[in-house]
Amino acid sequence: MKPTRITALRNYQDEFGNKIVYHGNHITTEVDIQFHGGGNKLVVDPDAKLEKIVAEFRGQDAEIAIGACNARCAILVGSRSKISIGRGLSTTGTVYMTAFEGSSIHIGQDCMFAGNVQIRADDAHPIFDVESGMRCNIAMPVVIGDHVWLGEGSVILGQSEVGAGSVVGMRSLVKGKTPNNCVVAGVPARVVRKNIAWERPHLSRESLFNPDGTLKAVNKEYWNYSEE
């Protein structure tokens, strides 16, 4: 089957059951959507403001769902895999995501990702145990909770769960479960501080801050103590 390539974000359906569902009118400057199989679906919220969407479906019956966000995404999915992006995500660069072997990536609401972030539910290439001949690196889900900040160059691997309200430091490598409202950093990432809350205003916006560095107005929706 010859792959189908779409270069404008619009409603689309073909004879192989591939679909794009989009009812918005935002002009996305970079669009490259490829279908290599059948039964795949891309759903984009009409209020999404995507500067870039590169999506390649390399198998059958995969799904990508993108909420009302302001983001740049480059996504690869394989058969029966699923990626969902919650509303409110903002990115300062392209975020690379990949999910194969029926795995999944779920990104919660109100997240903030810096540039060069990678979220990988799979390792792209197989690794085998020589003695048994069995695969060692089966693809596993990734779950990123609400209001998570991923720092520049951070990498989130399969079988990871980042708790709501947490911060992942620059160039950190996450594999495993991270509690809520924590700062994690390092390779591999470890908890370096608990019971934190972060807010979106940039420090350059001095009019929003008091002299002691606190915000003049704070919505404490995500201010929670870290669970043990």
Side-chain angles (χ1 to χ4, degrees):
M1 169 181 175
K2 185 178 179 180
T4 302
R5 194 168 205 165
I6 310 297
T7 57
L9 189 55
R10 57 181 174 83
N11 276 317
Y12 169 84
Q13 184 168 353
D14 63 25
E15 67 271 29
F16 304 107
N18 297 307
K19 295 180 181 179
I20 299 174
V21 181
Y22 176 65
H23 300 289
N25 55 15
H26 177 76
I27 297 175
T28 302
T29 56
E30 185 175 350
V31 178
D32 187 354
I33 302 164
Q34 296 184 48
F35 295 107
H36 292 262
N40 300 296
K41 181 162 57 171
L42 170 64
V43 180
V44 180
D45 189 285
D47 293 325
K49 296 179 180 179
L50 302 176
E51 296 183 46
K52 172 181 179 178
I53 174 64
V54 174
E56 187 171 348
F57 293 83
R58 291 189 176 179
Q60 311 288 326
D61 303 318
E63 183 174 340
I64 300 170
I66 302 175
C69 61
N70 187 346
R72 303 173 213 171
C73 302
I75 302 171
L76 290 175
V77 286
S79 294
R80 300 173 302 281
S81 298
K82 185 173 182 179
I83 293 178
S84 62
I85 299 172
R87 63 176 175 80
L89 170 67
S90 64
T91 71
T92 55
T94 301
V95 176
Y96 179 79
M97 289 174 264
T98 173
F100 288 92
E101 299 184 303
S103 59
S104 63
I105 296 171
H106 172 78
I107 298 169
Q109 301 178 6
D110 194 41
C111 290
M112 183 171 71
F113 296 171
N116 301 311
V117 165
Q118 296 187 49
I119 305 172
R120 306 180 65 105
D122 62 275
D123 292 338
H125 304 282
I127 300 173
F128 297 93
D129 178 272
V130 173
E131 185 174 354
S132 68
M134 300 296 290
R135 275 277 303 282
C136 304
N137 63 337
I138 302 297
M140 299 293 286
V142 174
V143 178
I144 297 175
D146 296 341
H147 194 68
V148 167
W149 174 8
L150 300 184
E152 170 80 24
S154 57
V155 179
I156 315 298
L157 297 180
Q159 206 172 6
S160 293
E161 183 176 342
V162 182
S166 285
V167 178
V168 177
M170 293 176 64
R171 300 179 181 86
S172 295
L173 177 68
V174 176
K175 186 172 179 64
K177 188 171 182 179
T178 297
N180 66 292
N181 294 88
C182 287
V183 177
V184 299
V187 181
R190 296 287 184 265
V191 175
V192 296
R193 185 155 188 169
K194 292 185 175 182
N195 303 322
I196 63 93
W198 65 273
E199 299 295 335
R200 281 183 175 273
H202 196 277
L203 292 173
S204 64
R205 302 180 67 184
E206 296 178 358
S207 62
L208 301 178
F209 292 85
N210 298 309
D212 63 356
T214 58
L215 282 166
K216 292 179 179 178
V218 180
N219 177 1
K220 294 189 175 182
E221 179 180 358
Y222 296 104
W223 288 48
N224 297 303
Y225 290 103
S226 302
E227 297 179 359
E228 295 298 330

